[in-house]
Amino acid sequence: MDEFYIARVTTKGQVTVPMELRKHLKIKEGDYILFKKNGTKIEIKKMVEPNDFENFARPIRERFQKGGITPEDVEDAINWARGNHK
């Protein structure tokens, strides 16, 4: 069964996550949440602890793979940002 919650966007673009959702996702002050755009829908997930790198990196890796971005592309971008142009 779908559940719906309403929140207002402030002038700074901030939204308060409704209490029921914070409890369900076990979100507390200082936690990070991930917004995933899927067409006109947005999926919200609680970010995993940094010590669980595999779960942390999975959405990034999947997005890179979907976009055809290779590890070499990432390395080239880092070198470019550091001023180490080829």
Side-chain angles (χ1 to χ4, degrees):
M1 183 172 147
D2 290 337
E3 295 181 35
F4 298 91
Y5 302 91
I6 296 175
R8 176 182 280 172
V9 179
T10 70
T11 57
K12 293 183 178 183
Q14 298 171 331
V15 175
T16 299
V17 177
M19 181 178 58
E20 295 89 352
L21 296 176
R22 291 193 315 261
K23 285 182 178 179
H24 178 75
L25 295 173
K26 298 178 182 165
I27 295 172
K28 61 187 180 312
E29 183 179 351
D31 285 345
Y32 287 89
I33 56 175
L34 172 73
F35 294 86
K36 179 181 179 184
K37 186 177 93 169
N38 185 4
T40 60
K41 297 181 180 183
I42 302 295
E43 183 177 332
I44 300 174
K45 295 181 179 182
K46 179 181 176 182
M47 293 296 294
V48 296
E49 294 293 326
N51 60 0
D52 189 353
F53 186 76
E54 180 60 32
N55 286 332
F56 171 78
R58 183 177 295 118
I60 299 167
R61 184 173 34 260
E62 289 171 355
R63 185 169 182 181
F64 280 12
Q65 288 172 343
K66 185 177 180 180
I69 300 170
T70 66
E72 293 78 20
D73 294 333
V74 174
E75 187 70 30
D76 290 345
I78 292 170
N79 286 330
W80 179 85
R82 290 179 175 164
N84 301 330
H85 307 287
K86 288 184 177 180

